[in-house]
Amino acid sequence: MNAHTMLAFVRFHAWANDRILTKAAGLSDDEFRATGEFDHGSAFQTLRHICDVDWSWREFCTGNNVGDTYVWDHGFALDDLPEKWNAFTERNAKYFGR
């Protein structure tokens, strides 16, 4: 896979994640945390999982050992998610776009 194709995947991934964040922002707290037919039990837990995976893969790709830690273990809070997610997206685009 060449860098152009990889960057296209990163951009699509960012677009899809933005749609997820936008939909999640429109949920009430009860809806957001309610259990349902999600991979991880609730929209909240699924969103946490997506953030953890994005963070840990980027860290791994840049040579950092994340071990058994999660993004939430590094001072991230759900209220900061849109800002942090945008920073993830920019860092991923820079990493794969070089």
Side-chain angles (χ1 to χ4, degrees), residues 5-15 89 92-94 96:
T5 302
M6 188 61 160
L7 189 55
F9 283 135
V10 168
R11 288 182 177 143
F12 176 80
H13 183 74
W15 171 84
T89 300
N92 285 344
K94 287 178 185 174
F96 290 107

Side-chain angles (χ1 to χ4, degrees), residues 47-86:
L47 197 55
R48 281 184 59 144
H49 171 74
I50 291 169
C51 285
D52 284 334
V53 170
D54 277 13
W55 175 80
S56 60
W57 271 108
R58 193 204 61 251
E59 291 298 307
F60 174 80
C61 288
T62 57
N64 296 316
N65 181 5
V66 296
D68 293 330
T69 65
Y70 298 95
V71 68
W72 312 103
D73 299 333
H74 294 268
F76 290 72
L78 194 58
D79 291 341
D80 299 332
L81 191 54
E83 179 184 332
K84 299 289 187 186
W85 205 308
N86 288 337

Side-chain angles (χ1 to χ4, degrees), residues 27 29-47:
L27 299 175
D29 193 57
D30 288 341
E31 291 170 324
F32 189 52
R33 295 176 186 278
T35 57
E37 295 184 25
F38 296 95
D39 289 345
H40 295 277
S42 70
F44 170 71
Q45 291 298 338
T46 300
L47 197 55

